[in-house]
Amino acid sequence: MTKTRPLPIEVRGSARQPLGMSPAQFLSDYWQKRPLLIRNAFPGFIPPIEPNDLAGLACEEAALSRLIVHDEKRDRWQVKTGPLSEDDFTKTPDSNWTLLVQDVDKWDADVAALLEAFRFLPSWRVDDIMISYAEPGGGVGAHVDQYDVFLLQGLGQRHWGISDDPAAPKDFRDDVELKQLKHFEPTHEWLLEPGDMLYLPPGVPHDGTAFGGPCMTFSVGMRAPSRAELTGDLADYLAERLPDELRYDDADLKPAKSAGEIDRAAVARLKQALPFAAALDDALLTDWFGRFITRYRNAQVPAHPEKPMTEAALRKLLDGGAQLLRHPWARLAWAKTKAGATLFVSGHAYPAPAALAEQLCEQRVVSFAKLPAATELALLLSLVNDGHWLPQKARRR
């Protein structure tokens, strides 16, 4: 009887295969199962944002940021939540501090472009790109995430320790504001260089510390609603629609065939995660989930235009070569229906032709070789007037 060789925990990537293997193999062997370090996942990687620009973003009122300083001698942690100020940065020590800024992909198009490398995952599964900048010794302490995360080293070096021991203790400290582990014994340790990437499935204890000099790490985090969150939102949804008498994981994920589609396999996983939902009609469950998964957790919604656009005005713009730019806060998904498809945008549902729904999920900037049909134009007009897409006039040559 031949023994199965253990899967490697470290591989080497390339420009052609950032994961060091095919997406299908990664999803089959590693996704939500075991950690993986990919050396040279992004060859010659150059950070798409400068540290000073990241600090400037942390000073914005609407940005989600935290400044964390560690007093190593007394093992005390100080956490300041943004918006930050220039004075906050002038008071930082020479080492042992880190800046965390969430949702940087919503603010910076070059950072958002990194998500192209993760298109083998459903777009609605991706949450955000958080960027951490740290001086030597800076980090957030040993902790556990309840979602999948890809940790891409962008600047300098970071020392990572992880524990893949299933019996590793996961009790939290009660003397710090951060959710840090009381005990952490790494089973693997690495020093990551720019372009290296560490994948961690949910529940893996880990600790990252800036080493040697300034360090910047790009964390691509996944949207992983808890079952309590799913249940609560579904219950509210059903309460509005069902008579009083009637009282998510994806370890089997395959590469996405169509951008943003909520397919039958996703609905089947919902029924498995929510046993009481197994008897629900697939169309009802899909309609709820599409609204839920695209509703942004930070409650940021696009502003409606001051004056609604008319169909004639939109037709004239598109006929003149105008493009439609997706609002950075718009989250999208779509699902097939008997009548065609439903496009889900930031918690709202729009009847849509399937081809257009897929195109809008796939492209952040949409242009049309010919004028859209009446049904397509009606959908685009609704999306523009709801603030989800912004018309951009064609540039004159």
Side-chain angles (χ1 to χ4, degrees):
M1 185 175 179
T2 58
K3 291 185 178 180
T4 303
R5 298 181 64 181
L7 291 168
I9 197 171
E10 181 175 341
V11 298
R12 189 163 187 83
S14 64
R16 189 175 64 88
Q17 287 194 326
L19 297 169
M21 63 191 73
S22 70
Q25 183 182 349
F26 171 80
L27 292 172
S28 174
D29 293 340
Y30 291 93
W31 178 253
Q32 294 210 321
K33 301 174 185 71
R34 51 183 61 86
L36 178 67
L37 172 63
I38 307 121
R39 295 288 189 188
N40 199 46
F42 289 73
F45 183 75
I46 299 176
I49 188 172
E50 295 290 332
N52 285 340
D53 294 329
L54 185 69
L57 178 57
C59 298
E60 293 288 340
E61 184 73 29
L64 295 174
S65 61
R66 287 177 293 166
L67 183 63
I68 300 172
V69 181
H70 183 207
D71 182 339
E72 196 172 18
K73 290 184 178 179
R74 293 183 291 179
D75 193 23
R76 291 183 179 177
W77 297 79
Q78 178 185 348
V79 181
K80 182 174 173 97
T81 302
L84 304 174
S85 66
E86 291 186 14
D87 192 46
D88 291 322
F89 292 107
T90 60
K91 294 178 181 178
T92 54
D94 294 331
S95 61
N96 297 318
W97 66 269
T98 186
L99 167 68
L100 304 177
V101 185
Q102 289 182 240
D103 299 313
V104 183
D105 53 305
K106 315 303 188 304
W107 295 84
D108 190 288
D110 292 329
V111 173
L114 293 175
L115 295 176
E116 289 296 312
F118 301 90
R119 291 185 64 174
F120 62 93
L121 298 169
S123 58
W124 50 264
R125 192 72 160 84
V126 179
D127 191 4
D128 76 331
I129 297 180
M130 182 185 77
I131 301 180
S132 64
Y133 172 86
E135 290 292 339
V140 298
H143 63 286
V144 172
D145 292 323
Q146 299 303 326
Y147 51 85
D148 304 85
V149 63
F150 295 87
L151 300 159
L152 170 61
Q153 190 62 24
L155 176 71
Q157 299 173 312
R158 186 180 287 271
H159 173 271
W160 283 104
I162 73 163
S163 174
D164 61 359
D165 180 3
K170 295 179 182 177
D171 298 321
F172 295 126
R173 293 176 55 172
D174 53 13
D175 60 335
V176 293
E177 184 179 342
L178 301 164
K179 281 193 172 183
Q180 294 180 346
L181 296 172
K182 283 185 179 180
H183 307 284
F184 175 65
E185 292 291 336
T187 58
H188 299 81
E189 295 183 78
W190 302 285
L191 190 65
L192 268 65
E193 305 280 351
D196 294 343
M197 184 168 68
L198 176 62
Y199 163 72
L200 296 176
V204 174
H206 57 283
D207 187 13
T209 307
F211 179 83
C215 163
M216 194 153 57
T217 302
F218 294 71
S219 302
V220 182
M222 300 296 114
R223 182 97 194 266
S226 68
R227 292 196 178 187
E229 188 181 358
L230 288 168
T231 303
D233 198 277
L234 177 57
D236 291 341
Y237 175 86
L238 293 176
E240 297 176 358
R241 289 165 175 79
L242 296 180
D244 288 341
E245 307 85 66
L246 300 175
R247 290 293 180 174
Y248 197 87
D249 64 81
D250 54 359
D252 61 341
L253 191 63
K254 300 296 186 295
K257 294 181 180 179
S258 177
E261 183 183 7
I262 300 172
D263 55 20
R264 291 181 179 179
V267 176
R269 292 187 205 103
L270 281 174
K271 290 187 172 183
Q272 186 175 4
L274 305 169
F276 67 88
L280 295 177
D281 177 77
D282 279 6
L284 184 66
L285 194 60
T286 302
D287 186 61
W288 159 73
F289 185 67
R291 296 169 190 262
F292 171 79
I293 204 65
T294 60
R295 190 180 307 128
Y296 198 66
R297 55 172 164 70
N298 195 32
Q300 295 281 359
V301 293
H304 291 226
E306 293 183 7
K307 185 179 179 181
M309 180 171 287
T310 65
E311 181 177 324
L314 180 59
R315 184 187 299 273
K316 183 177 180 180
L317 281 172
L318 296 179
D319 197 34
Q323 297 178 318
L324 296 179
L325 174 66
R326 187 197 305 176
H327 194 286
W329 289 106
R331 287 181 63 89
L332 274 72
W334 73 280
K336 295 175 183 176
T337 64
K338 291 181 180 180
T342 299
L343 175 68
F344 301 101
V345 186
S346 301
H348 301 280
Y350 300 85
L356 181 57
E358 183 177 357
Q359 181 185 6
L360 292 173
C361 286
E362 174 129 5
Q363 301 172 4
R364 291 184 173 272
V365 180
V366 182
S367 58
F368 301 92
K370 61 179 182 179
L371 198 63
T375 54
E376 296 175 330
L377 193 65
L379 170 62
L380 296 173
L381 183 63
S382 296
L383 295 173
V384 168
N385 283 331
D386 288 345
H388 301 304
W389 263 263
L390 310 173
Q392 286 189 326
K393 292 183 179 180
R395 295 179 179 178
R396 293 183 179 179
R397 295 183 179 179

